[in-house]
Amino acid sequence: MKVLIDEKIVNRHEVRVDIEDRGYQFGDGVYEVINVYDGVPFTLREHIARLYRSATEIGLLINVEPEKLMHDILRVIQANDMKNGGLYLQFSRGVAPRTHQYQTDIKPLLVAYPLPYKEMTHAQAIGVPAITKEDLRWLRCDIKSLNLLYNVMMKQKAFEVGAFEAILIRDDVVTEGTSSNVFMVKNKIIYTHPVNNLILNGITRTKLLQLFQENGWDYKEQTFTKQELFDADEVFVTSTTSEVVPVISIDGVAVNTGKPGSLTKEIQLAFSEMVKKETTQKA
Ligand code: PDD
């Protein structure tokens, strides 16, 4: 595997990360996962914009221009002869003697490399079980930070009971999944949590809202409760690598008939057409 480290592309075994890298010690950094379709990154510009936003929010000054970074990402795709799969990209604040506070002039460390292709076709077609868990994360979930400990813990809980995702609930309100945004459909209206500090503003989420508008599907960026989630006609989760995945049971209770909903299927289709259109235009 070829890895971009700062500006260089090297073999994976040549990469060395210092023990005092702040990403390693504090989770002090930001990241993105971009999906690549037939060698073309989808919504690259949007991911890069979010990365710079996350960096700004934690006071990390990215020392590369966005255009150059996008160019380097294309180099990683080419160097790995990537067809389909995720592209992982992270900036850590850099290397410094371990103190919580930091000097603002340390050099951030960039790495980018391909993630193994995750086969999602089956899960997308038949749907997945989910569980619910309390959302005990910090109050800046809008930042795509390397600090994913609670997300990791709750995803593991889901995994251990054979569920795909843990849907997080804060003060009785459904926020998002551990690595996805959550949508529900009730009486033909699609609901998802509004964008604020309690969720990550998913790129897939944003693209879906665009599709809802284009297709005239009613939607509300409005909070809904755990009970409303259980009473939903349809539930689905979205993320870069999993795209649109129907949730067919929650905490062992079937969502409606326990099969992927019809609007969810239409949304999946519209999304894959959008991906096809946008990735072939740029090819
Ligand atoms: N996760 N919410 C959280 C907490 C996430 O980690 C993610 C993405 C999303 C969906 O965002 P997007 O549609 O931009 O991928 C929502 C990525 C894929 C990950 O950590 O692997």
Side-chain angles (χ1 to χ4, degrees):
M1 189 210 295
K2 306 282 187 200
V3 178
L4 176 73
I5 177 151
D6 288 330
E7 300 195 358
K8 275 191 276 179
I9 292 189
V10 299
N11 286 318
R12 183 197 166 131
H13 69 266
E14 293 172 65
V15 179
R16 291 284 173 273
V17 176
D18 195 286
I19 55 164
E20 287 190 311
D21 184 277
R22 293 183 61 94
Y24 177 60
Q25 291 191 326
F26 293 104
D28 186 356
V30 291
Y31 79 102
E32 282 295 325
V33 180
I34 302 163
N35 222 3
V36 176
Y37 294 89
D38 206 13
V40 182
F42 177 60
T43 53
L44 175 60
R45 204 162 278 281
E46 289 87 340
H47 282 281
I48 296 302
R50 186 171 66 184
L51 181 74
Y52 280 77
R53 178 190 180 274
S54 294
T56 303
E57 292 300 313
I58 67 159
L60 189 161
L61 188 68
I62 295 183
N63 54 346
V64 189
E65 291 300 316
E67 293 299 326
K68 161 92 171 95
L69 186 54
M70 286 192 276
H71 176 74
D72 284 344
I73 288 167
L74 297 178
R75 284 173 59 214
V76 179
I77 293 170
Q78 276 165 10
N80 287 284
D81 198 16
M82 260 185 98
K83 293 283 175 272
N84 296 295
L87 192 287
Y88 181 78
L89 168 70
Q90 80 164 53
F91 270 99
S92 76
R93 199 181 299 276
V95 177
R98 187 188 180 280
T99 57
H100 286 63
Q101 76 280 15
Y102 53 87
Q103 303 288 329
T104 48
D105 59 356
I106 62 175
K107 189 173 169 295
L109 178 71
L110 164 67
V111 293
Y113 57 88
L115 299 172
Y117 175 71
K118 199 166 89 187
E119 178 53 60
M120 286 301 302
T121 324
H122 188 63
Q124 287 166 351
I126 65 163
V128 295
I131 57 170
T132 59
K133 286 286 168 194
E134 198 181 345
D135 192 346
L136 293 176
R137 298 173 301 164
W138 73 330
L139 296 173
R140 289 305 308 274
C141 301
D142 56 309
I143 300 172
K144 204 160 172 56
S145 112
L146 297 180
N147 268 283
L148 290 173
L149 189 52
Y150 192 73
N151 306 55
V152 166
M153 288 164 65
M154 294 305 111
K155 182 72 104 184
Q156 179 66 15
K157 294 267 181 235
F159 181 80
E160 283 169 2
V161 295
F164 176 78
E165 182 59 300
I167 295 176
L168 303 174
I169 318 278
R170 194 189 290 271
D171 298 332
D172 203 33
V173 161
V174 174
T175 51
E176 61 179 341
T178 66
S179 64
S180 62
N181 291 113
V182 179
F183 293 73
M184 72 148 197
V185 182
K186 187 70 187 175
N187 299 328
K188 300 213 157 43
I189 302 174
I190 310 160
Y191 294 84
T192 196
H193 194 287
V195 168
N196 60 18
N197 61 311
L198 300 181
I199 66 160
L200 181 76
N201 187 4
I203 309 286
T204 320
R205 176 191 183 284
T206 307
K207 296 304 276 184
L208 283 198
L209 298 190
Q210 191 184 318
L211 276 180
F212 298 165
Q213 282 172 14
E214 286 171 15
N215 287 277
W217 291 323
D218 282 340
Y219 73 93
K220 291 185 179 159
E221 290 179 85
Q222 188 177 297
T223 59
F224 51 93
T225 64
K226 182 173 172 180
Q227 189 57 51
E228 287 170 319
L229 178 74
F230 277 94
D231 293 340
D233 298 329
E234 305 180 26
V235 176
F236 58 92
V237 292
T238 68
S239 78
T240 292
T241 44
S242 66
E243 303 168 320
V244 179
V245 183
V247 173
I248 52 168
S249 74
I250 303 170
D251 294 338
V253 180
V255 174
N256 202 348
T257 60
K259 298 226 172 72
S262 55
L263 188 51
T264 306
K265 285 192 204 161
E266 283 186 61
I267 293 166
Q268 285 179 314
L269 196 64
F271 182 72
S272 59
E273 278 167 9
M274 176 187 241
V275 168
K276 220 178 282 167
K277 202 165 139 219
E278 294 199 14
T279 51
T280 40
Q281 264 171 9
K282 285 178 194 161

